[in-house]
Each structure stands twice: as C-alpha cells, then as structure tokens.
Amino acid sequence: MTTENPLLLALDLAGTFAFALNGALTAVRVARLDIVGIVTLGMITALGGGIIRDVLIDYLPPATFSDWRYLAVAAAGSLIAFGFGHRMHRLSGLIVVFDAAGLSLFAVTGASKALDMGLGPAQAVILGAITGVGGGTLRDVLLQRIPTVLRSELYAIPALVAATITVLTIRFGVYGIPAAVGAAVACFAIRMVGVRYG
Amino acid sequence: MTTENPLLLALDLAGTFAFALNGALTAVRVARLDIVGIVTLGMITALGGGIIRDVLIDYLPPATFSDWRYLAVAAAGSLIAFGFGHRMHRLSGLIVVFDAAGLSLFAVTGASKALDMGLGPAQAVILGAITGVGGGTLRDVLLQRIPTVLRSELYAIPALVAATITVLTIRFGVYGIPAAVGAAVACFAIRMVGVRYG
Amino acid sequence: MTTENPLLLALDLAGTFAFALNGALTAVRVARLDIVGIVTLGMITALGGGIIRDVLIDYLPPATFSDWRYLAVAAAGSLIAFGFGHRMHRLSGLIVVFDAAGLSLFAVTGASKALDMGLGPAQAVILGAITGVGGGTLRDVLLQRIPTVLRSELYAIPALVAATITVLTIRFGVYGIPAAVGAAVACFAIRMVGVRYG
C-alpha cells in the first residue's frame, strides 16, 4: 500500500527529512554518538511519529515500511547531518528549527491521514498532535531527557493548532496546498515564538 | 467501532479518569510542569494502557480514537487535577490511590476485552496486567523514573490477580458487575497493602 | 493464528529465551530488583522485539499472545535467571553473550517474517534490525540507560548484517537451517568483536 495522496506524501517526506536532520544533529551535539548512533537516532526521530500514527489509525504496515522513499529520505537526512554536523556553528539553532519544521509538517499529515482513515474530527486533531510530537518524544526518551512536549508550553499547542486548521479546512472543503502550508506555517511560527520567549 | 459492552465501557472510563487524575497530579507534584505538560501527562497516563491493549489485541483504531468519551474523560480528569492540585495537601497519598484505582480497573478491562477478542486465558491475564501497568509505566518513563512495575513487588502481582479473577469468572459464566468490582477491589486492596508495608 | 514456519518458531523461541536470561540477569546485577521486577524485565526484554515486529508487519495479535510457547519460554528463562543469577560469577560476561544471541536470532526472524508478510527487501532488513534491537532498547529505557543501539557502533551493524544475509538467501532460494544459523553466527561474531574491542 503506498500513500496515494501526493500532497500528504510530499509533506510527510518533508517532515521526515526535517526530523532526520534534527535527530541526527541532536545526536552529534548532545550525546556525542558515533555514526551508527547518529544515523539510528536520526531515523528514529524521523520515522517515529509517522509509525505511531499509522499504528493508531490501523494503516499497517506503516507507510515507512511500504514506501521505500521514507527510509531513503530518513537515511539521507541523517547522513547529511552526520557529514556536516561536526563543522557547523550555531548547531542548537538549527536543531530547534528542524524540530519545529518536523512538528508542523507531521501535525498536518497526522490530522489529514486520520480523517482519511475515518476518525472523527476531535480524534484527528489529537492524532495530528501525537504524530507531530511522537518522533521528538522518542528521541528525548532515548537520550534520557524529559520530552519537550512536557517541558515546553508551546510545543503541543502549536501542533494542536496546525491539526485543527487542517481538520477544519478539510471539513469545509478548502483544504489543499495553501491550507496545508498555512497550517504548518502557523504551527512553526507559534513554536518559534515559544522558543524565543519560552 | 464503539465499545458495545456497557460494563467494559464504564470500568474503562472510570480507570481512565483515575489515571488522568494520577498522571496530572504527578506532573503537578513531581515535575512541576505547566498546564500543557500537566494535561499532556494526565492524558498519556490515562490513555496509554488502553491504547497498548487495543494495539496488541488488534482492536484498531483504539477505543480512545473511536469513542469520544475516552478523550473527554481523560481531559476532564487532567483539568480537574490541574485546577485543584496546587492547593491540595497530602497530594502523594491521593496520587497513590488514583494509581491503584486505575491499575485495578484496567487490569479487569484488559483481561475481559482480550478474551472478547479471542485470546487464550493465560494471554488474557498477561494482557490485563499490561493494560493495568501500561499507562503508569509510560508516565514514569517520560518523567525519567524507574517504572513502579519494576520497583514494587506489589504492582504487577495485584494486576495479575484481578486479571485472573476476571478470566476465571468469565470462563465459569459468573462474570458481571459483582465479579468485575470484586476483582478490582482485590487488586486495589493488595496494592494498598504493598504501598503501606512496601 | 500460530507461527506455522517451524524454523522461524525455533529461532524465535531461542531468541526469546536468550533475551529472557539477559533481561532478568541485568535486573539482578544492575538494578537489584526483587523477583517480580526481575521476571518482569526478563519478559519485556524477551518479548519486546517480537511484539514490535508483529505490530509493524500487521501480524496481530502478536505471536506472543497467540502461541503460548512464547510466554512459557520467556517466563522460564526469567525464572532460571532469577534462581541462578545471585550465585553466579562473571555475570556481566553472560549478560553480554545472551544479549548478542538474542540480537542475532531476532534479526534473522524479523527479516524472514517481514518478507513472509510481503514487505520489500530493504524494509525487511530494517525490520530485522528493529526486531533484534527492540527488546534490549526497551530494557535500557526502563532502567534509564542510553540504549546500546545508540552507544555501540557494533550493535545495529551486526543486526543489519544478519538481516541482509537472511533476505538475500531467501531471495536466492537457498534459505534454510544452514543459512539462518550462518546469519545469526555472523551477527553474533561481529557483536562479540565489538564488545571485546569496543
């Protein structure tokens, strides 16, 4: 079974790429892992949210294991981060930006795919948020950190906002590239405000 | 798909409420999280055990995402705990009581739902215990604590007792409100003995 | 649904036994848990990887809950480790050996079962590795340790090697007891080199 919705696929792969960069750069900076640890953490961060989503909406096997592009994009992002991470300055800024990007994109795809699979609107919003925060939460648990979703007020909230915009625009029949991008940008902006003033 | 068994639903929602109070109060007391962190931890603790159960017995999407009452009860419990938690004394006593209540109720519903879905009796007992300890284990992992199920002798044991009573009474055709409540009360009593003398 | 492939079943049960010994001995040595904690950690370590695999390939309920031998073997291994663990010397050497054995066997069964369930070859390799590292990762997370898969270069790599040999020999029609054992031995050998010189 492949993801047939091209907009969903594009957003999903973009989120996967962002979280792969985030997870692998986090492994470089915080935990000083070797290449296997870096790529492993990158791939778990990249693929974790989507896998949790697909298990919960009964889309099994998860898209990760039915469409090769997910693994390829997650591996590419992780390897790029490994290759460049050691010589980059301002790594922590980039880590935060990629995390916010992944959060935003996955909140949108989680909500839209949940509706596709027949869940109700409130459930789809929650599932969007779970998809957005899932990969980063696995990353934090594996690195023995209290997950961002518990520590930061503006992490679950922007994901819920993006998922709500997604569900509403789908319900009102105006969902498409502009609505999806708008929802993701809204989430990203709120998250970055949270990082700045949090 | 909604949970059609009214006894199962009632016990499940009661367990959800107890674990929502427990998780959110734990967030107030132990981790001093803000409202988003408190509600998030309350909802994960409340819904985690049932989601793990439903994934393992192939009841997908989990009841959490197919029946709105689960999300509503989990959110309500978490918000109540947020509202009252800061001014309550003896918080740690309450946290333990709500945890024991959730453990007891979920051990019963986990075992009974597993039998409903065709699992064998031994498997249903184990699944009942997993359902009981699941939410609290996620809570402890997210807060970076060794889970209670590993630290305390009388945590898995009472859950196994309640699940065994449930499976036996169903098999002998005498399951109903008295048997379910009896199983939960037995678990609760053993757990509280463990807390007192542990 | 029972596992009908006898080779898969035999390797799976052997891996379950090895990880049960590993998890329970780890609980004895590292965390000094009581019997309930020891058996619980043994069973989670033994059954975790296979459960994750079966959820991801949509083989639900997992073999753990549809074939009683998994629970029996996991419980037996955990109880044996509890019975003998306290008087054994050189416990840490044994812990490492059982972990490597479980990793090797589960990498093979994960890859072969994933192909059986229709996944592509690259996905089956990744799924084999996830199956191999899954139980030990849960064990480490519950004990609050950074998982071995992130810390050690030669943990994911040998699992990927075993899974790749498995997938290739199945694809070329030469899979059987020699190929399966060869794949597991290759993984085990690489892992032990990693332990020795890591």
Side-chain angles (χ1 to χ4, degrees), chain B residues 32 48 68 91 100 106 109-110 116 147 153 156 165-166 170:
Chain B
R32 309 220 161 271
W68 63 271
L91 215 50
F106 276 0
T109 65
D116 278 356
E153 223 159 332
I165 295 174
T166 304
I170 291 176

Side-chain angles (χ1 to χ4, degrees), chain A residues 72-83:
Chain A
V73 165
S78 302
L79 288 168
I80 290 170
F82 170 74

Side-chain angles (χ1 to χ4, degrees), chain A residues 33-37 40-41 51 55 60-62 64-65 67-68 71 141-144, chain C residues 55-56 58 60 119 123 126-127 130 137 141 144-147 149-151 153 156-157:
Chain A
L33 304 174
D34 61 42
I35 177 171
V36 179
T40 302
L41 194 65
I51 289 176
V55 169
L60 292 173
T64 305
F65 297 104
D67 184 331
W68 63 271
L71 287 177
V141 166
L142 293 175
L143 294 180
Q144 304 204 51
Chain C
V55 168
L56 294 181
D58 200 14
L60 291 173
L119 264 66
Q123 285 78 15
I126 300 285
L127 209 73
I130 292 174
T137 301
V141 166
Q144 303 203 50
R145 311 193 294 185
I146 304 268
V149 69
L150 294 182
R151 279 185 291 112
E153 223 161 330
I157 296 283

Side-chain angles (χ1 to χ4, degrees), chain A residues 8 11 103-113 128 162-163 166 175 179-180 183-184:
Chain A
L8 174 61
L11 297 171
L103 176 77
S104 307
L105 292 159
F106 276 0
V108 173
T109 66
S112 102
K113 199 167 179 181
T166 304
Y175 184 71

Side-chain angles (χ1 to χ4, degrees), chain A residues 9-27 37-54 62-65 67-79 81 98-99 101-103 105-107 109 130-140 142 155, chain C residues 126 130 150:
Chain A
L9 179 63
L11 297 171
D12 232 14
L13 291 177
T16 300
F17 191 68
F19 268 135
L21 292 169
N22 165 272
L25 289 177
T26 304
I38 289 166
V39 172
T40 302
L41 194 65
M43 294 191 73
I44 292 173
T45 309
L47 303 170
I51 289 176
I52 293 170
R53 172 197 66 198
D54 288 353
T64 305
F65 297 104
D67 184 331
W68 63 271
R69 285 169 286 201
Y70 287 90
L71 287 177
V73 165
S78 302
L79 288 168
F98 289 133
D99 183 66
L103 176 77
L105 292 159
F106 276 0
T109 66
I130 292 173
T131 308
V133 309
T137 301
L138 288 178
R139 175 201 65 211
D140 290 344
L142 293 175
Y155 197 73
Chain C
I126 300 285
I130 292 174
L150 294 182

